[in-house]
Amino acid sequence: MSIKKYITANEAVAHAARLARVEVVAAYPVTPQTTIVEKISGFIASGEMDAEFIKVESEHSALTACMGARMAGVRSFTSTSSQGLEYMHEMLAYASGGRYPLVLVDVTRSVALPWSIWGDHQDAIQQRDTGWIQIFTETGQEAMDMVLQAYRIAEDRRILLPVMVCLDGFIQSHTEELVDIPDQGTVDSYLPPYEPVVTLDVDNPYSISIGGFGRYYAAWRKEQQEAMDRARQVIVEAGDDFARIFGRHYGGLIEQYRCEGAEAIILTMGAFTGTAREVVDEMRADGKAVGLIKVRAYRPFPVRELRQALSRAKAAAVLDRDCSWGCEGALATDLKAALYSLPSPPTVLNFVGGLGGSDVPPEQMKYMLDKALSVERGAPSTMEFIGL
Amino acid sequence: MRESIPGPVSKAGTVPTKMGSWSTIKPVLEGKCNFCLLCWIFCPEGAISQDEADRKVLFDHDYCKGCGICAKECPTKAIQMAEPEAGRAG
Amino acid sequence: MKLKEVSKEELYRCSYGCAGCASVLALRLTLKVLGENSVFVVPAGCISTVSAYYPQAPFFVPMTVMAFAATAAALSGISAGFKRRGREDIHVVGFAGDGGTADIGIQALSGAIDCGYKFIYICYDNEAYMNTGIQRSGLTPYGATTTTTPGRCFENRPKKDMLRIVADHGIPYAATACISYPLDFMRKVEKASKINGPTYIQVLVPCPTGWGFAPDRAIELGRMAVESGMWNLLEFENGEFHTTYTPRHKRPVAEYFEAQTRFRQLSPEQVEAIQREIDSRGAPGSS
Amino acid sequence: MNQTGHMEEVRWHGRGGQGAVLGASILGSAAALYEGKYAVSFPTFGAERRGAPVQAFTRIADHVIRSRSQIYHPTKLIVLDDTLFDVVNITDGVPAGASLLVNTRKSASELSVPDYLNVVTLDASAIARDIIGVAIVNTTMLGALAATTTLVSLDSIKKAIADALPQKVAERNMAAAEAAYERVRGK
């Protein structure tokens, strides 16, 4: 029997770690992630969760300790934000290159300087090329459900890559809403016990996470890319299986919302997708042909799915809560690359907004979509900051 | 192994090259070995073994890098460093 | 422990280490004590560089290469994992150089000692970043040249006292050792392996390449370091320091300096000052 | 503003330490868990410091609430401390017909509030001090809210208080909510 609780997304994530039967947690406090591990500490103290909590001295050590636990053959969990994720950067690459099936929750937050504890996606985007599967979520429910799915995806023998589940700092992490918390038995039927492929096993010893000269190195990297490619399918499967058992489905790599016949489509990642739904509904009611694509998987990037979803639109309005300085919003760049081979691709308009915790109110999204409706297909791409 | 285990992993104890090829000089036992085992314990490469029956040490030239620590530390000066014999491996 | 009782099994072989590498020797002896029931975490440094290029795997026990700063954190994670799996009998060993321990790894080491999981952290101390070509570390002694403290710009700060630093964490067991005293070193490794908590051993490993001496003199140089008082064989347990070996014959520090090239820029007056400093030292832990 | 129906947007004004965030949370959970509605609640996002003006928000609707933007046009305002009128623009963005519930010893006419708002005042501090023992008025104000709107019932508020607080404390807070309810109803 599942139970409904009125809780924050952070609390929901803590429940997910508990239900995933995580055995080692290592974490370091950083706003707005901290309440996740506080809750987990509470679960361990009350006996609701049977796990070791390693109170490390830094995020660098947190991720390392999670890798260590995996080397010993047990499931681990960590979460962080912003500077903490930046501090983990080196170990993020170790984890993916070493093919560790870790799960990390990033409660997204802007990156200093300028100093800011508030939300945007800059921290996650700056880790884009570390080789992690990155999935953005919209609600507390989706964050919890995705953490459970993340263990399935990461530990799948076809994948063996770490997964970063992103939820938006504050507007998602600290917002309370109804969350359906499944019972342990149902979760167990979805997520089997962890069976590691290789560990530090004294009876079957290996040197693991070692190095190799050129061609070996390149071969491992190619395998890593192939696993990322396979992850597109595995993410969809994990979501479909989840839906069969729990009745909740989030749409695989992307979710299309009212895209039928849409001339202009707004693309979002994360919690502001909810606001965009309202805006699309309202504009549709006014007879405007607009739709929404929620990009769930940022890595692996849903190239084929986006190409199909946008093949008939004349313009895409991309909301980036990040920027690749000297270029543009990261999602916009990736989207353009994905659309390149279309015979007549839609115009991509990039809007960088919601930085440093600033709100993206419905008016801004309407502005984006109206602008997209007004451009001709094939018009030059633009990039602008909104909300200033 | 790489077929079943993804990532940079290798079976423990895989030694494709024996490092004896590195050395230009090799230890030889020429004097009286008192079987004190100092050369054995100090050999970085584990290239010295014990012949318990004859109470003397043996050198495995496949592993010896020719550092000469054994000769230096031998209290009876029984070990000499010498050019390897012609035609010998390493 | 006697030499005849030391395990004949070789559990580390065919590294790419330099001829006469005392770090490799320290690893070999560590494995003789701990045996097959041990796993190793090796960060960036000499030992990982000579031990971990596919398909080469000279460790006969499980090992992993870890990021430079991360050794001790990995030990906590592995130890916690083994605890969960009921395998606390397995020795979880970190094997890191002086830079990986006293510089970039000191934060994780401090944190891991605080966490309190069972592990043995061994610092093979060759007193500089030898793997990258002899750069100064926090454990380079006063007076030594390296490629980043060349010539007259020799290292002008004292060697960081890691034993005292880990002791001040309230670590259950810590020791210094020197590769030239193998039984003392191995006894300390054995002692550490029986402690149910974090332990630390720092073993001095003379480096022919970095210190400037012929490879066959590696053991001799370590002996000279101890006999000159430049290095002391100590233990810290039950909150107290004590000496495990006092050389019968003291040796002037000048002799130790003359046996290698890294101190040769020191003037007689500077050597004299170092000698006075050594002579004025009290019992371990008393300063 | 959306196709699925009406949504109540409640904005809480208080000072750090007065319980605005917990009040918003209890209101949301009362609606979501005991009224069969959908609700979300969230604080203003920032470092909370005692005494500093803070805001918190509760959205309540009969349908799934998707918007993640802040609340700019609240249909209900709850003010925990009347000194805030001098510090922040409390009625900013509030549409005509919205209701305003203020903890104050003053009467509605004494507050400089636009006349297109429905104002209810209550000395919640006195009730809280009497019954709870401290002047933390969030639960007291929730009792008053239940009396003035159809948003949530007093019963649901009391259940949500019982969920949120340790038993002894919860009992006193429930009593304070009830007292405020009766006081406002009696007006």
Side-chain angles (χ1 to χ4, degrees), chain A residues 86 110 161 280:
Chain A
E86 301 277 305
S110 42
L161 287 173
V280 165

Side-chain angles (χ1 to χ4, degrees), chain B residues 54-89:
Chain B
D54 290 347
R55 291 188 59 77
K56 63 172 186 178
V57 293
L58 302 171
F59 303 103
D60 189 336
H61 289 187
D62 284 346
Y63 295 101
C64 173
K65 288 177 183 164
C67 69
I69 287 176
C70 52
K72 191 85 178 172
E73 296 301 320
C74 177
T76 63
K77 302 292 166 211
I79 303 170
Q80 300 296 316
M81 299 304 290
E83 302 281 331
E85 295 161 35
R88 179 154 191 173

